[in-house]
Amino acid sequence: MRMLRSVALGLAASLLLAQAAFAGQLKDGIAAVERQDYGRGRDVLEDYVKKFPNDPRPYYYLSKCYENWYQVSKVDEALTNYRRLSEKRRRVLQSLQGADQVPTYRDMVKDDPTDVSARLLLIVALLEAGTPMMALAELQTIPEGTVPAELEDVVQAMWGTVYMSQGEWAKARAAFKECWRLNLNNPLPPVKLAEIDKGERAQQQAQQQAMFNTNRSELKSYELTFKLGKDLFEEGNYEGAIEALTEALAAQPTSADAKKLLGEAKRKGAEQAYQHGIDFMKEQKYGAAYESFQEALKLDPQFAKAKFASDDAKAKAAAQERSGQ
């Protein structure tokens, strides 16, 4: 058991220290230690720890400072914190659960933009906060080829989780299979692959039922769903209208009337989602506004105002998180 624990801690240490290029205050403290200016290193790193008490990296270098200042009791305390927090960070990355608050990781990434593990922890926090679109945006900022080998399986697990949230089962399955290939000890793939199978089966059953119902009374289904879609459209329920008109087109793919009304419903639905986003912006609920603008863009990818507003909401959401509001 002790040997297994040592191996786990060694893995955590290599994972955390693989990023050699630090920035900001942490870099300053580490650089001071490396040039044997232990007094300055201690002061800078102790200040950094006050801001980020759950970041294991400064404790490793603080132990060296305390050792050279003959603060023996603090050496053991620093190393204990380093091991404990390294293991905690490893568990969060392996399970995609238990992250700190989003603003904490935003600030870590700001202090060290090259710290891939901090950015991945930010993505975990965003997933746990129920904002997969913002998590996806962060994933897309990671340059290709910059992820250390120890974290490649984690990145694949994150892609798989985002795809699951979008119901893209094939992409999600491929991502988790790649995650498993990269790290057979990652606990997520078997669990998530089972969830994907269940979700895909439910989707297929729903599609089969819909097909059966359509085949049983195709014309009646078209007439009913088209009328329902038209009524919902006139009521301003564009989401319901889109669903109904989509079913109408499934029954009669050549219906020009259904195609025209569906296009109009999507345009109106995009405008409605855009307005919801504007309302959220006025209330300073920038994360919710971002999701609304993204929904508008799903319905109308050419909606220029929604694209501009989405970028603005994303920036303001990040600023709001940094301010702790």
Side-chain angles (χ1 to χ4, degrees):
M1 180 64 74
R2 182 173 296 176
M3 180 177 293
L4 289 174
R5 178 173 175 77
S6 298
V7 170
L9 290 173
L11 173 62
S14 64
L15 180 150
L16 292 163
L17 295 176
Q19 292 78 41
F22 299 109
Q25 187 175 5
L26 184 59
K27 177 183 178 181
D28 187 15
I30 292 174
V33 174
E34 289 177 343
R35 65 174 180 267
Q36 299 183 4
D37 187 352
Y38 298 111
R40 173 168 175 75
R42 180 186 61 182
D43 292 343
V44 172
L45 293 172
E46 283 183 341
D47 184 63
Y48 180 88
V49 164
K50 291 177 183 177
K51 298 176 184 176
F52 306 113
N54 290 329
D55 187 345
R57 296 169 298 172
Y59 293 101
Y60 177 82
Y61 292 93
L62 275 171
S63 70
K64 295 181 177 293
C65 296
Y66 295 143
E67 182 179 3
N68 282 273
W69 277 78
Y70 304 103
Q71 294 175 284
V72 180
S73 62
K74 287 192 172 185
V75 173
D76 185 62
E77 180 183 354
L79 289 174
T80 298
N81 282 331
Y82 171 72
R83 296 187 187 98
R84 176 178 59 82
L85 294 172
S86 295
E87 179 62 16
K88 176 185 175 182
R89 182 177 280 200
R90 187 190 68 83
R91 285 199 306 270
V92 171
L93 288 172
Q94 288 293 317
S95 66
L96 303 189
Q97 292 181 341
D100 291 331
Q101 294 297 311
V102 170
T104 298
Y105 298 121
R106 287 278 189 206
D107 288 343
M108 271 191 198
V109 170
K110 182 179 179 181
D111 188 77
D112 178 7
T114 65
D115 181 6
V116 177
S117 63
R119 192 174 296 278
L120 294 181
L121 288 163
L122 169 60
I123 294 169
V124 176
L126 290 168
L127 289 171
E128 288 194 300
T131 53
M133 296 299 293
M134 297 191 78
L136 173 61
E138 288 295 335
L139 265 174
Q140 291 172 334
T141 66
I142 301 175
E144 186 176 354
T146 63
V147 178
E150 297 88 348
L151 294 173
E152 287 179 352
D153 63 310
V154 174
V155 173
Q156 289 299 320
M158 289 177 174
W159 278 110
T161 302
V162 170
Y163 288 140
M164 285 182 69
S165 74
Q166 298 173 340
E168 298 188 51
W169 307 114
K171 289 183 178 180
R173 181 180 290 105
F176 278 111
K177 283 185 175 180
E178 178 62 10
C179 171
W180 212 350
R181 185 190 70 81
L182 290 167
N183 183 3
L184 291 174
N185 295 316
N186 191 306
L188 280 177
V191 175
K192 294 299 183 181
L193 287 170
E195 290 179 12
I196 290 168
D197 289 341
K198 183 178 179 181
E200 193 171 40
R201 282 197 301 270
Q203 186 180 62
Q204 289 173 348
Q205 288 170 358
Q207 291 171 346
Q208 289 170 356
Q209 184 64 40
M211 184 179 297
F212 172 77
N213 293 336
T214 300
N215 291 337
R216 186 175 60 181
S217 184
E218 192 173 63
L219 181 59
K220 183 178 180 181
S221 174
Y222 168 76
E223 291 173 346
L224 288 174
T225 53
F226 180 75
K227 183 179 184 304
L228 175 61
K230 187 175 180 180
D231 290 344
L232 291 170
F233 179 87
E234 291 174 353
E235 293 171 7
N237 184 348
Y238 303 118
E239 183 178 356
I242 291 169
E243 184 177 354
L245 292 168
T246 299
E247 290 186 20
L249 273 174
Q252 292 287 339
T254 60
S255 171
D257 291 338
K259 287 180 180 179
K260 180 179 178 181
L261 191 56
L262 177 60
E264 186 66 14
K266 286 184 176 182
R267 185 180 67 80
K268 292 282 190 180
E271 292 175 354
Q272 190 177 68
Y274 172 78
Q275 188 57 51
H276 288 160
I278 294 297
D279 293 339
F280 282 130
M281 291 289 283
K282 292 177 181 178
E283 297 171 8
Q284 297 184 359
K285 297 179 179 178
Y286 301 121
Y290 176 79
E291 298 290 333
S292 294
F293 294 138
Q294 286 293 305
E295 182 62 30
L297 287 170
K298 280 185 181 179
L299 295 173
D300 183 1
Q302 305 304 317
F303 199 166
K305 288 197 299 184
K307 177 64 173 67
F308 176 81
S310 175
D311 293 341
D312 186 38
K314 179 182 175 184
K316 287 182 177 177
Q320 189 178 61
E321 290 162 3
R322 287 194 297 271
S323 68
Q325 295 179 356

